[in-house]
Amino acid sequence: MYVHWVFKRSRPCHGESSGHEYQVAAVRSGAMSVWQSFRRTGAGWTSKWITRAVTALAVVAISGCTVTVPQNIDVVSPFDINRYLGQWYEIARLDHSFERDMIKVSAIYSLSGEEGSIRVVNRGFDTRTQEWDEAVGRAKFLEGTNTGALKVSFFGPFYGGYFITALDQENYQWAMVVGPDLKYFWILSRDKSIDPLVKTELLTQARKMGIPVDQIIWVEQ
């Protein structure tokens, strides 16, 4: 959801100043201090995903951009968050730094105590360090709860897009998700594998959306 813990954007927003890189560096420095504090106090964020996301989050913080659905992407509607809750396994993704070297990735969504907020727990095994890694965040709807357009945060007030572009409307057994742009893409399933016919259908749809399907990683579960 891997759902995703995505906050990076591919290009500056219109009208950013030429000093943008210096601003990002300053925010990154402050964000790293906060992150190191969390590690020292054992606040529960012990994930390389968060460490790697700090720079991207700084970019989001400085840019002032709002979370919006990528151009030419349709999100699913109707959508029932209560049926979407629970555990999902990451079947496929495009490569990005936050999940690099990760296998056995899963996400658990549950209602949080905060009204309109969803608790997100991402977990995976880092093949480089040979350790399990976990990140806890929260998601909120961008608009109404009847549409699969959300924003997700794993670091303070900084959010990235989480857009469900395909969904098993009958049984909620599989889903396809993109992030703030088409560089971020996931296929999720309630099981550790997915039906070959569904896989073919989703890849066809992904290709039409502009996803580089030849670069998709099929995640070991």
Side-chain angles (χ1 to χ4, degrees):
M1 157 210 134
Y2 289 323
V3 191
H4 325 267
W5 42 97
V6 184
F7 309 94
K8 186 176 180 180
R9 59 184 173 81
S10 59
R11 57 187 180 277
C13 295
H14 177 70
E16 284 183 345
S17 69
S18 59
H20 177 76
E21 292 81 4
Y22 298 100
Q23 292 173 315
V24 169
V27 173
R28 183 186 183 209
S29 176
M32 284 302 298
S33 297
V34 173
W35 163 238
Q36 291 164 1
S37 176
F38 272 112
R39 288 185 64 91
R40 288 195 300 270
T41 58
W45 291 1
T46 58
S47 173
K48 76 170 184 180
W49 291 326
I50 308 302
T51 305
R52 291 178 173 182
V54 167
T55 300
L57 290 170
V59 172
V60 174
I62 290 299
S63 71
C65 296
T66 56
V67 178
T68 58
V69 180
Q71 189 174 7
N72 300 322
I73 294 298
D74 295 322
V75 297
V76 299
S77 183
F79 177 73
D80 184 346
I81 185 57
N82 291 306
R83 299 185 66 193
Y84 198 79
L85 299 177
Q87 185 167 24
W88 291 86
Y89 294 97
E90 182 178 276
I91 302 299
R93 69 173 181 259
L94 286 177
D95 185 39
H96 58 83
S97 62
F98 310 149
E99 289 185 273
R100 191 156 297 150
D101 303 318
M102 303 295 289
I103 63 173
K104 302 183 184 300
V105 181
S106 65
I108 297 178
Y109 304 104
S110 60
L111 297 178
S112 71
E114 181 183 351
E115 184 177 358
S117 181
I118 301 154
R119 187 172 188 263
V120 182
V121 179
N122 290 332
R123 190 169 188 264
F125 186 77
D126 188 331
T127 58
R128 183 178 58 82
T129 64
Q130 293 293 297
E131 294 179 343
W132 285 95
D133 215 348
E134 184 175 283
V136 179
R138 65 181 182 274
K140 296 183 178 181
F141 283 95
L142 276 186
E143 300 173 353
T145 58
N146 193 48
T147 302
L150 300 93
K151 57 182 182 178
V152 182
S153 173
F154 288 88
F155 191 84
F158 311 126
Y159 285 85
Y162 180 89
F163 306 110
I164 304 167
T165 61
L167 178 66
D168 173 14
Q169 291 282 8
E170 183 176 356
N171 299 307
Y172 277 60
Q173 291 300 298
W174 50 261
M176 186 164 68
V177 179
V178 299
D181 59 46
L182 299 186
K183 294 180 180 179
Y184 301 95
F185 169 88
W186 298 268
I187 294 176
L188 310 177
S189 174
R190 295 292 193 181
D191 299 317
K192 294 182 179 181
S193 61
I194 195 168
D195 184 279
L197 293 178
V198 173
K199 174 181 175 180
T200 299
E201 179 183 339
L202 292 178
L203 287 178
T204 298
Q205 181 176 337
R207 188 178 290 107
K208 291 179 179 178
M209 290 192 304
I211 300 295
V213 297
D214 59 319
Q215 298 177 27
I216 290 175
I217 296 171
W218 298 95
V219 181
E220 177 186 337
Q221 285 289 349

